[in-house]
Amino acid sequence: MRAEINGISLAYYDHGTGLPLIFLHAFPLNQMMWAEQQVLASRFRIITIDLRGHGESDAPLWHYSLDQSADDVRVLMDHLSIRKAAFVGLSMGGYILLAFYRKFADRVKGLALADTRAQADTAEGKEARFHMAQTAYQKGPSAIADIMIPKLLSPATIRTRPDLVQRVRRMIEGNQVSGIAGDLMAMAQRPNSVPFLKEISCPTQIIVGELDLATPPSDAKLMAEQIPGARMAVIPKAAHLSNVDQPNVFNQIVGAFASDLSSSGDY
Ligand code: MLT
């Protein structure tokens, strides 16, 4: 499915009925990373999106920011006549959710923040983004896949699931350099959201893979401590893409969270 959103064509997938559950993917992937979460459509309305710069969506040369992606999501919600939704954002998807909540808290029924963090990039982190953008420009998306795959999946998955590794590689290689560089700039510019966490008043579920090195359990714990009433779940044997590494456990956590939210109606 496609929609014209904020001057670009955005690809998305919408199926199932009930509480809308909107999934925002990680860098530098696309909505296919949620393939194993589609089973939740037997209980909820599942919406996945190729964010601006990814997959089948347009990847303009200009302009990327997390606020811009949050605006894209809000306009897509209007397009789909969704007043309020629960959200699942993993890593960069979580950064976008924090931006979304800052702007449109009244559209949020609940937040599941997976394998993400509230802190801004350090100076070294920003420098690394710049170098990765140069690598993307000079060598193309497959060089980005080489760098990212060991950060995304657990060593056991990389050793024993070549099919999955190939799937993740294809997602990364399917992106355009403009989108990859745009994301890197957007992430480098994000603010420190730690002071903002205590203002989050909707139900919140924090999820993290125990082996996540990119956004480790200590980052998740910080969010769970600062967001009033937040729950936290650590997924054993999962790395950064905890939903891909351990989909059944991930789905149980998100399913239970969304069930609690849908029992109160109001969406
Ligand atoms: C992601 O998975 O979205 C990225 O690792 C996030 C980041 O680079 O900060």
Side-chain angles (χ1 to χ4, degrees), residues 25-29 90-93 95 115 117 121 129 148 151-152 184 187 190 214-215 240-241:
H25 62 75
F27 166 83
L29 301 169
L90 193 142
S91 200
M92 184 184 72
Y95 305 159
D115 301 281
R117 65 156 79 86
D121 282 354
R129 304 265 191 220
M148 289 304 295
K151 297 183 182 182
L152 296 173
L184 289 163
M187 290 191 288
R190 75 186 191 283
T215 49
H240 191 52
L241 291 187

Side-chain angles (χ1 to χ4, degrees), residues 11-231:
Y12 67 96
Y13 192 55
D14 174 11
H15 73 145
T17 54
L19 172 73
L21 209 45
I22 300 181
F23 287 80
L24 304 183
H25 62 75
F27 166 83
L29 301 169
N30 65 39
Q31 62 179 325
M32 294 304 295
M33 78 166 244
W34 301 114
E36 280 86 3
Q37 279 64 57
Q38 296 299 334
V39 292
L40 292 166
S42 61
R43 297 157 64 196
F44 309 104
R45 179 176 176 187
I46 302 297
I47 294 113
T48 58
I49 307 169
D50 280 345
L51 293 162
R52 173 181 291 257
H54 299 257
E56 303 290 314
S57 289
D58 287 348
L61 257 183
W62 192 256
H63 169 85
Y64 292 79
S65 69
L66 301 176
D67 279 351
Q68 172 70 71
S69 293
D71 280 338
D72 291 344
V73 174
R74 201 264 307 157
V75 176
L76 181 66
M77 284 174 80
D78 292 348
H79 176 78
L80 298 174
S81 304
I82 296 172
R83 190 171 63 82
K84 236 174 171 176
F87 293 83
V88 183
L90 193 142
S91 200
M92 184 184 72
Y95 305 159
I96 295 168
L97 278 191
L98 292 175
F100 187 94
Y101 192 87
R102 247 193 219 96
K103 290 165 75 92
F104 312 117
D106 60 326
R107 309 292 296 266
V108 179
K109 180 112 178 108
L111 290 176
L113 295 163
D115 301 281
T116 190
R117 65 156 79 86
Q119 303 94 310
D121 282 354
T122 59
E124 299 77 46
K126 285 190 188 7
E127 188 68 18
R129 304 265 191 220
F130 171 75
H131 287 297
M132 196 183 284
Q134 297 308 304
T135 302
Y137 182 58
Q138 287 159 4
K139 301 188 178 159
S142 69
I144 302 303
D146 293 341
I147 298 169
M148 289 304 295
I149 286 170
K151 297 183 182 182
L152 296 173
L153 298 169
S154 67
T157 298
I158 292 175
R159 226 178 23 250
T160 61
R161 300 283 314 270
D163 53 321
L164 211 57
V165 176
Q166 261 314 103
R167 216 180 90 204
V168 170
R169 175 172 285 282
R170 270 201 305 276
M171 281 189 254
I172 299 174
E173 292 181 348
N175 288 325
Q176 296 179 44
V177 171
S178 52
I180 293 174
D183 277 351
L184 289 163
M185 273 187 266
M187 290 191 288
Q189 284 165 7
R190 75 186 191 283
N192 175 21
S193 294
V194 176
F196 171 69
L197 296 175
K198 54 183 175 313
E199 293 173 35
I200 297 180
S201 60
C202 68
T204 302
Q205 173 74 60
I206 309 291
I207 304 171
V208 66
E210 71 165 341
L211 306 176
D212 187 345
L213 299 177
T215 49
S218 54
D219 289 344
K221 192 159 170 274
L222 174 72
M223 290 190 293
E225 283 167 358
Q226 298 290 320
I227 299 174
R231 316 177 193 173

